[in-house]
Amino acid sequence: MQSIDTYNFSGKKAIVRVDFNVPLNEEFQITDDTRIRAAIPTLKKVLSGGGALIIMSHLGRPKGVTEKFSLKHIIGRVEEYLGVKVQFAEDCMKAHEQAAALKSGEVLLLENLRFYAEEEGKPRVAADVTEEEKKAAKAAVKESQKEFVKTLASYADCYINDAFGTAHRAHASTALIAAYFPNDKMFGYVMEGEIKAIDKVLNNPARPLTAILGGAKVSSKIGIIHNLLDRVDNLIICGGMVYTFVKALGGHVGNSICEDDQIETAKAILAKAEEKGVDLDIRRDVVVADDFDNDANTQIVCNFEIPDGWEAMDASPASVEKWAKIIDESKTILWNGPLGVFEKPNFAKSTNAMAELLAKATEKGAFTLVGGGDSVAAVTQMGYADKVSYVSTGGGAMLEYLEGIELPGIKAIRE
Ligand code: AMP
C-alpha cells in the first residue's frame, strides 16, 4: 500500500474514484457541492506532483444511460475548483484514446460508472422474471464485470480511492479495480481523514469516550450498539429508538415510535450493557405531542408513562442538561442520529442543543466526530460544521465501519 503524500505521480496517470454523487435540481444545477470540494485536495495533489487525472464516480441510481444522471452537468464546477480544463469521456468504457493521450497536468472525467450494470455487479432485470432467470442474469453480469474492471484499470498507472461514501460497497471502481495495482494503490485524503477519525474513536480514544446514538430505528443500529458497548464509557441512546428499550423495560410508550419485533434485541442490549458496566439510563423526561405535527399540543412527561394518544417527539431540556454534564467531562465524543423529530422546528431543540454541546466540547479540547445525514444536517444548519473535530461524509459506510465491519473499499487498498 502506498501513501498519497509520498507517491511519485510524475509522468503517471492516476485513476481516482471520487464521490461526485451531488444533488442536482430540475435544471441540472448542483445544489450542494460539498462532495466535489472534499475531493479537490486529492485531485490537486496528483496534478501538483506531475501526474494526469482520470476521475471516475457514480451519480444517483440510474438504471442505464440517463441524461439526468450524466456527470457532464458537473464538469464546470470541477474545472472551477481545479483551475484546469476537464475533458469528458461520454462512455466510461470507450475512453482508451482519451486516456492514452493525457499529458501531465491534464484531467479526464469519465461518464457515470453506473450507466453500466457492471459497476455494481447487479443485473438489471424486470421484476417479473423467474428466480432462474435472475440467477443467470447475475452470473452474466458478474462475468462481464471482469472486463469492465480490466478496461477501467487499463487507463492508468495507479489507483486512488477517495470515495468513502461508497467504501462499504464491493463495486468495480471502489474495490475490484485495486487488484490491478498491487504496488500502486492508495487512499485519497477524504478516505484517510475518515479512517483516521473513526479509528480514533473506536481504537484509540482519549477517555472518557461517549457515544450518542439517536434516530428512529434500533433495528438499523444493533450492530453499532454492540460494537460500541465493548468500547465506550457512556452510551446515550436517544431519539425514537429509545422507546423500544422503554417497552422492553415494561414502560408505557403511548403512541411513540416503537419496534415491537426488536424488544428481545433491546433486552439483549440492556443485558450486555449491564455486564459491561455501561449505564444506558433509559428513563428520562421527554416532550410528547398529541399529534405528529409541529403545532401539536405538548407536555413533558416521564418516558415510561406516556399517556395514550400522545407520542414522544423530543428530549426534554432537563434530559439535555444531564447529558451536557456527561459531554462536558468526555474527551472523545461520537454522535450519530437526531435526538428528536428535528425536521419539525418545535421538536428540533434537543438535537440543536446537542450540536452546540459538541461544538463547546471541541473548543475545550475533546475530539468530536459527527456522522449520519441528520446529525450532519443539524451541525451544518446550526453553523457548527467547522466547530466539531470531524464531520463524516459517509452515511452507510460510517455506520458499517462503526459496526466493526471491514469495508471492501478499505480492504482492497490495504491487502
Ligand atoms: P434514522 O434514519 O434511524 O437515523 O432516523 C432519523 C429519523 O429519526 C429522523 O427523521 C427523525 O425525525 C426521527 N426521529 C427522531 N426521534 C424521533 C421520535 N421521538 N419519534 C419519531 N421519529 C423520530
Side-chain angles (χ1 to χ4, degrees):
M1 181 181 145
Q2 299 277 358
S3 153
I4 185 168
D5 274 324
T6 52
Y7 190 81
N8 181 8
F9 289 106
S10 180
K12 301 233 174 77
K13 287 171 189 152
I15 189 157
V16 190
R17 175 53 155 106
V18 294
D19 182 0
F20 280 174
N21 183 28
V22 291
L24 302 176
N25 65 16
E26 297 286 297
E27 277 90 45
F28 306 131
Q29 289 157 337
I30 301 165
T31 54
D32 178 357
D33 68 3
T34 309
R35 287 174 174 159
I36 298 179
R37 280 187 283 117
I40 297 302
T42 292
L43 302 176
K44 280 196 166 163
K45 173 72 181 162
V46 174
L47 296 178
S48 65
L53 278 173
I54 298 149
I55 308 173
M56 57 179 175
S57 178
H58 75 284
L59 175 62
R61 294 184 173 169
K63 295 276 172 279
V65 180
T66 326
E67 163 81 4
K68 187 175 152 197
F69 296 119
S70 172
L71 280 169
K72 73 180 178 203
H73 304 307
I74 67 152
I75 297 173
R77 194 64 60 91
V78 182
E79 283 182 337
E80 196 182 304
Y81 286 131
L82 281 182
V84 236
K85 185 176 163 28
V86 172
Q87 301 171 42
F88 187 60
E90 285 176 14
D91 183 335
C92 68
M93 284 293 96
K94 292 184 183 144
H96 303 82
E97 284 176 20
Q98 283 170 290
L102 274 188
K103 295 192 200 65
S104 256
E106 293 186 340
V107 182
L108 173 66
L109 172 66
L110 304 183
E111 179 57 289
N112 194 343
L113 297 165
R114 289 196 189 164
F115 281 180
Y116 282 87
E118 283 78 4
E119 163 61 0
E120 295 177 273
K122 277 195 233 141
R124 288 174 182 158
V125 288
D128 57 354
V129 300
T130 64
E131 277 309 310
E132 277 300 283
E133 286 167 321
K134 243 189 232 165
K135 238 178 161 176
K138 192 169 177 194
V141 81
K142 284 282 173 204
E143 191 52 38
S144 56
Q145 190 182 46
K146 291 178 190 156
E147 206 48 43
F148 182 84
V149 177
K150 196 170 159 191
T151 301
L152 290 176
S154 74
Y155 299 152
D157 305 302
C158 60
Y159 166 64
I160 303 176
N161 189 352
D162 210 21
F164 183 72
T166 45
H168 57 317
R169 307 277 180 229
H171 293 167
S173 68
T174 60
L176 306 183
I177 191 173
Y180 283 88
F181 302 94
N183 301 311
D184 299 277
K185 56 183 180 178
M186 64 209 91
F187 295 125
Y189 291 122
V190 173
M191 283 286 264
E192 273 189 4
E194 294 275 358
I195 294 168
K196 223 164 114 190
I198 304 177
D199 278 350
K200 205 161 170 175
V201 171
L202 285 186
N203 303 321
N204 194 20
R207 291 192 179 272
L209 163 62
T210 297
I212 304 127
L213 289 183
K217 288 187 174 165
V218 72
S219 53
S220 60
K221 303 219 169 118
I222 298 165
I224 299 174
I225 297 174
H226 274 292
N227 198 25
L228 288 177
L229 276 176
D230 291 328
R231 297 158 200 270
V232 294
D233 300 295
N234 308 297
L235 179 58
I236 299 170
I237 293 184
C238 45
M241 72 171 156
V242 83
Y243 304 98
T244 306
F245 290 89
V246 171
K247 204 161 179 183
L249 289 167
H252 189 82
V253 300
N255 290 6
S256 306
I257 187 170
C258 180
E259 288 175 281
D260 286 329
D261 59 346
Q262 297 296 326
I263 300 270
E264 290 309 311
T265 306
K267 284 183 181 165
I269 289 170
L270 288 162
K272 180 167 177 178
E274 197 172 336
E275 181 201 321
K276 295 275 170 189
V278 179
D279 181 7
L280 290 184
D281 203 13
I282 299 293
R283 185 185 285 266
R284 66 187 71 131
D285 281 352
V286 291
V287 178
V288 295
D290 61 358
D291 195 6
F292 194 72
D293 189 276
N294 191 48
D295 300 315
N297 296 309
T298 62
Q299 57 173 322
I300 291 178
V301 300
C302 169
N303 62 354
F304 275 57
E305 292 150 27
I306 299 176
D308 289 333
W310 292 75
E311 60 191 292
M313 298 289 275
D314 201 4
S316 72
S319 301
V320 173
E321 215 167 285
K322 197 165 69 177
W323 296 330
K325 196 167 171 308
I326 297 172
I327 287 162
D328 186 59
E329 288 164 1
S330 301
K331 294 274 187 309
T332 309
I333 305 156
L334 163 73
W335 177 27
N336 180 288
L339 280 64
V341 184
F342 86 114
E343 297 90 338
K344 301 187 191 300
N346 286 343
F347 303 106
K349 290 181 189 132
S350 71
T351 301
N352 290 344
M354 186 55 74
E356 193 174 347
L357 289 175
L358 260 73
K360 274 196 191 141
T362 316
E363 203 181 344
K364 263 188 65 186
F367 179 80
T368 52
L369 168 60
V370 181
D374 294 323
S375 7
V376 171
V379 287
T380 309
Q381 275 163 29
M382 294 286 290
Y384 293 134
D386 55 3
K387 293 194 167 61
V388 295
S389 308
Y390 200 86
V391 175
S392 176
T393 55
M398 185 203 187
L399 292 182
E400 287 196 22
Y401 201 150
L402 288 174
E403 269 185 56
I405 295 171
E406 194 175 21
L407 308 186
I410 293 178
K411 186 164 176 249
I413 296 283
R414 281 187 175 152
E415 68 190 5

